[in-house]
Amino acid sequence: MGLRNGSLVCDYCSSTVFIFEPFQIAWTAKDSSDPKAGFSYITQTWQEIDDGENKGCNWCDILWGEIPFWYQHRKKRELPMPEETFKITVRFEKRNSEDEIVLKVMVEDDWSLRYQVRCDADDNAAAFVPGRKLVWQVASPQAFKLALDCLAQCTLRHNCPKPQETSLPTRVIDCSDPERLKLVLTKGVRGFYAALSYVWGEPQPHSVCTAKLSTYLESIDILLLPKTIRDAIFCTYNLNLRYLWADTLCILQDSDEDKQREIPQMCDIYQCAYVTIIAASSRKVSEGFLHNRKRPVETLLPFWCPDGKLGTISVDEDNGADPSKEPVNCRGWCFQERLLSPRTLVYASHTLQYQCQTAMNEIGDIWNYLPSNKLGELRLPDMMVSRTPSRVLSSNDVEALLTAWQNVLSDYTRRVVSEPSDRLVAISGIAQLFQYWWGNTNRYIAGLWERNLSIDLLWYRNRPSDGSLVTGKYLAPSWSWAATIGYIVAGWDKRVGNIIWEVQSCNTIPVSDNHPLGQVKGGRLIVRAIARDVTWDPAEPELFELKRPCVSVAKTGDEPEERDEACNIRSLRAAADITVDRGLAVNGSDEIEIATFPGPNTVPTSASPVEYADIRMCNGELGKKALEAVKIGHSFITNLFFKLVPCLVRRKNTHITETAPATSGQISGNDTNVNVIRVEAMTPQDHPASGGEPDRMGSNNHAKRCQSNDVTVPSKGQERHIGYGYFDYDNVGTDKGKAIVVGSNKGEDPDHLMGLIVVPAGGAGEFRRVGLFHVDGKFYEDEEAPYCDIKSWLNTPTEVITII
């Protein structure tokens, strides 16, 4: 850039952007509602821009990065021709608040990029540009001064509550002299203190324990402490605070009794702290957080101030580090420590940040007003910080609390806890605050809220766990999200306007009476609801049920029933044609034999299609051809519908008609020495729809079958695709169970039902939750499309279900 006749002009591209009058047009555009406002001009040739970038012109450098990007997407070519020129529009804009100014550069009116604008505090531009350059020396006196300024201005600038002296936690570290540290038993003394939030990441051998307590009350050798704890002590001292609370030194790490007493206090510990120091960038406690960050690359541009003075600004298209990648934002315990803290100093990977209830800024830089949907930046509703709950919550307060809890679970369940049994414990502080707001109008039950229980139960896991399965440990009742590992989505479906089932009771048993909102060792949910037997494809979230009632075929002849040592065989005659895979059919007078391997699934039911069947032929030629047909069909079924295998059949004393085409697969019977059989349609009372495991018939039906030689003959056509589900595949362990209807969509004529999928548990009549289902009553001409008879479902008698 060179100064020519009182104007700044690029020596290489002759850009007129930084002439005073065009620049002022671009600057005043920030106050205009016209999206096309700003200064537009035609550039020099691409060759001249390229030359300018090579020779160090910063404006040419911006255009050199911007134009090819537009060219590749719009022109579908790699680079412009040397002689091409382009229309560029430049304007300044306000973003998020008055405190953030960005520079917008648009190419040909259809491609734009925004740059953050910063300057030094002592620059002429500072009177007009609020953003300041990033702090990369986070342990410098300047950084601590800026942090103290943020703490002092917070109550005035953002209307946050003024910090008050409070009763100190049970134990705190006295940091008044970093060279002579000691642990203090506070005994209710009031004062100000800082709290620390960090990732352990490794053992801490010098943590406080029962044997070391008396020694640490006298003095603590700072050299024995890991770097993150030392940095936190140094930070507390430079923030003019005397006391620091850090779990490793303030909770007896070898005492379960002390943990059960102190962990329930963490809600108050972080909520009442003057400030919480967050070691966001440290992967483990030995790394520390007060080291210098990587110095940012600056792109400097001239800035003509409205008063005629010339300043300098720095522009950067990088929005900083991704908060979701910070180690502290991947840990479950750190979540409530940040969320409950009214003020935090975040030692991020790229700079030092300050966050309060309503805003966050990179120290000395740009203020971003919350809430934000980025991981680690969630804040509680303002009402939970700015005022105390009233006796009667307004409808707006209720909605705010329910929405806030959904956001809490969304952020928290993406994180990891080292000990899976801490899944409820590490969020108990937040639950305690919510319980305080709900008062006696709501009850916390293993991560769910009684007031919204039916909707809260409709959570589902967004993706499988990244780690190994938890085995041999009880985490929570199956109906609680805390029983799973991984990111869950909760309370998401607003279509459920009518709750159909009745919750009769829902209770849990806490591990410790001192910590009722923490870990549980048992729980039981009892409901009266519509329950239907269903199956599902374990590889796809597809739900199935029978299209029509089962057909019971009873043998009435005197012919003895044949038995095989390897399988149970029953001979019977079909009353109607039964179609088998690949066109193999048996005519109405034919005798067929069903053979199933013994085991828990030997008797097919509506919820349990035959998992395996075999064909045994008496006629050699017939056996070869039938077996060949079945092999083809079995391969087809295995690849496409391997859990929907139909019953396979055999004929006895028959032969293939000579005139029948060999490829037809048709079998005709001339046998007259057959038994008379009876066909019965099973009544709803006979149908094993409830009251037992889905892979066995009920006791009454079983007795009837044994006496009359009844057998159920389902076929492939009996399975109907009715909907889809979200299954906890790691814990299902089966592919058949009951669909329990929770509710329907709004309106008098519901066409959508949803609820829980359960399977039998250990005790009689007890079930465990394994997923969530959706069915609707939309009709499609495609026979393979899902279709559920909603009216039939709603007319199903209810039954009492216990879920553990």
Side-chain angles (χ1 to χ4, degrees), residues 648-669:
L648 303 180
V649 302
R650 83 183 267 275
R651 286 199 49 176
K652 193 174 183 181
N653 299 325
T654 57
H655 63 277
I656 298 178
T657 305
E658 297 295 335
T659 58
T663 58
S664 68
Q666 192 74 18
I667 303 175
S668 65

Side-chain angles (χ1 to χ4, degrees), residues 332-337 412 417 422-430:
W333 277 101
C334 296
F335 175 65
Q336 69 175 5
E337 296 168 358
Y412 174 68
V417 289
D422 286 343
R423 194 132 155 98
L424 285 173
V425 181
I427 199 176
S428 60
I430 299 174

